[in-house]
Amino acid sequence: MNDLEDKLQIDSGMGKGGKENTKLSRLRDRVDKYHDLSNSMSSILTTFEHRLGKLEQTILPVYNETEHLQNRFKNLDSTLQCLETVLSHYDASQEVCNLIHIGPSEGNISEFLSALDKLKKAKDYFFYNNAQSVELENVTSLFNTGCETLNNHYKILLNKHSHPLKSVDLLDLIYIEDDSSTEDCASIKQLTPSTREELNIISNWLDYNLRREYVNIYADERSEVIFRSLQILKDHQKSSSWGNEALKLRQYGRNEPKKSTSARLQSIFERKANKMLLKASQTIELSTGFALKKNTNTTDNLAPEDYNLDGDQELEKYLVLLLGLQRLLIWERQLLNDIIPASRHTEVFSRLSHSSIDMLVKDAENITNKVLRSIARKEWASALGVFSALKRVILLQPDLDRACDAAQRQQLGNVLKKLQNTGSKALDQFLDLVKCDTVTNLVGMSAGTLSGSNIPKDATVHELTSNTIWFIEHLFEHYDVIGGILQQDSTYSSQINLQKIQSAEDRNKAILGLYIKKVLSELNLTIISKCEQYSDNATKHLFRLNNIHYILKSLQRSNLLDVVSFTEPDCERNYQELIQELKSLYRKSWSRLVVHIHPLDDLPRPINGKVKEKERAIIKDRFSAFNKELEEACKNQRGISVPDILLREGLKRDNAEHIIPQYNAFYEIYADVQFSKNPEKYVKYRPQNVSEMLNNLFDDSV
């Protein structure tokens, strides 16, 4: 049984070995086939490589020869092109000669510039390759002729489309809102976009080719436009229609309300002041958190009399010219950006405005000289006009600075200096005038002054006083400008510690307060000097009292005390004390009358209504002297004027309280005494009569 199992196992092993041998045999056959295929492929590739090598050896000489032929062709073509270029340089002058002499035509400048470019290239070729040739001279001459023709075309084109503005157009330009579109400008409309483009092309070509004559041409032409526009406006200002022009119908579809020139100026400068205030407010608000209040007094709320520039039309007209210049320069700068290369802007802009600014500076000098002559004639409204104009020029200064370059700003700065110098001279002359004690002070004295003198007959407020107060009241309206003028004078700035005053507004008020203090001090001394021209003490005191009282009330009414208090805190109290002192002196002037009836102890006493013979004469003399003094005083003082009703009634009351009680006591004792055969000759006035006489004082109609 075991033998059988062993036999089966052997047979099974032999079967498996046969299968493996079969697989191995197949694998060997396949390897042999792959080897044969590899040898065959290698043989094919080797044969192909040999054949490619032979082909390269055959083609490479042909390729090299072809490349050589191509290079020779290129060289030949380049040579031909160079020859054509050189020939074109020789033919350039003949080809473009007619076109150069005919010149360019408007709207078709490219052909002419192409011709000039051709001449320029020819000129450069001959210059570097054959500088001694006749062709160089011919081409250069024709090129220069072409450039001159181009300059002439440039000038003609500018002149054709540049016209001075009519006065109504310039005024319309001045009075439009600051945010109006620039396309509303008539000056820009004169130069259409196509014209500006052509001028720009010419300018850039000339600048690139180092031909800078166009700078002078453009500057001169546009300078003439600005100058003549302003001159036309000046001529219009001399006409009778000046100041009453109506604005044209604008793009907003409505007519502007008709306003006077002063009203329009007021509106313009009010807007500028509000803009400056808004800017200052924003700065302060950012730093402190507090905002300034905007000015709400627009022109719609102003009365017609508020529009005028203190009555000086010359200064008003000059401000319009300044505004016109500013507007024109803004638009000229816009034109400059469209036409002139950026590298030439500064040079051109300085030239085109120089003559116009020079004209305005000379006009400012003429106006300020005229104002100084008016001030010499005591026409102080002209001085106030200078301060108003100066304030407006300062408001206009930022806009002018933005419109101008550094040289122009320096040139226009002379206008501000002339106005400041004129204002300073006006202030100095006014102060000197108040010091002066002559017949002609502020204005020509009226018939109310004493014959051969310059004091009023009725001892009322002197014209010097009223005019001085009028002047300093109006100075307060310009405290900011005047403060800036006086700060330049060391005699003012050294008397005030300006560093302790933080705000610029208070510093200006303090400086003005110091000036007013000087004026009032000199006025007080002049009043004292003038009162000595009266013959009696009562009139002297009343004259001073009228003037001092008027000064104090005017200062209180106009709030000038607040300004003066910066340098003289006790100003109001000093005036009040002086008024009380003058009232006391006036009461004492009645002592010549009262001394005859007081004291009663010095008079003889009647016994049973009778007095001694020798005492009768004393009573007669006392009554007679009292009557005489009373009549003379009432005669003198009845014609004296005390304009202030409270002061007048107070003086009458003081007189009555001072005289009536004493006369009443004297009258009750001696009126019924038998001191004369004709007592009515001496007892002329009863106490109520004396009271009525005193009440009728200061009334020249009684």
Side-chain angles (χ1 to χ4, degrees), residues 200 203-204 207 214 333 336-349:
N200 178 255
S203 299
N204 282 286
D207 195 75
Y214 78 95
R333 190 176 286 279
L336 205 65
N337 293 333
D338 291 341
I339 296 174
I340 302 299
S343 60
R344 303 295 165 196
H345 282 185
T346 301
E347 179 183 358
V348 175
F349 196 69

Side-chain angles (χ1 to χ4, degrees), residues 370-386:
K370 183 177 180 181
V371 169
L372 288 175
R373 290 194 295 270
S374 298
I375 293 171
R377 297 193 299 267
K378 321 300 182 294
E379 297 173 2
W380 297 103
S382 297
L384 297 175
V386 168

Side-chain angles (χ1 to χ4, degrees), residues 211-227:
R211 304 296 297 224
R212 305 289 161 70
E213 299 92 336
Y214 78 95
V215 171
N216 297 336
I217 295 173
Y218 183 90
D220 292 343
E221 288 294 326
R222 297 308 301 177
S223 174
E224 183 69 11
V225 170
I226 299 175
F227 185 85

Side-chain angles (χ1 to χ4, degrees), residues 594-607:
V594 177
V595 74
H596 299 299
I597 59 174
H598 184 79
L600 295 176
D601 293 341
D602 295 341
L603 298 175
R605 285 286 179 171
I607 301 173

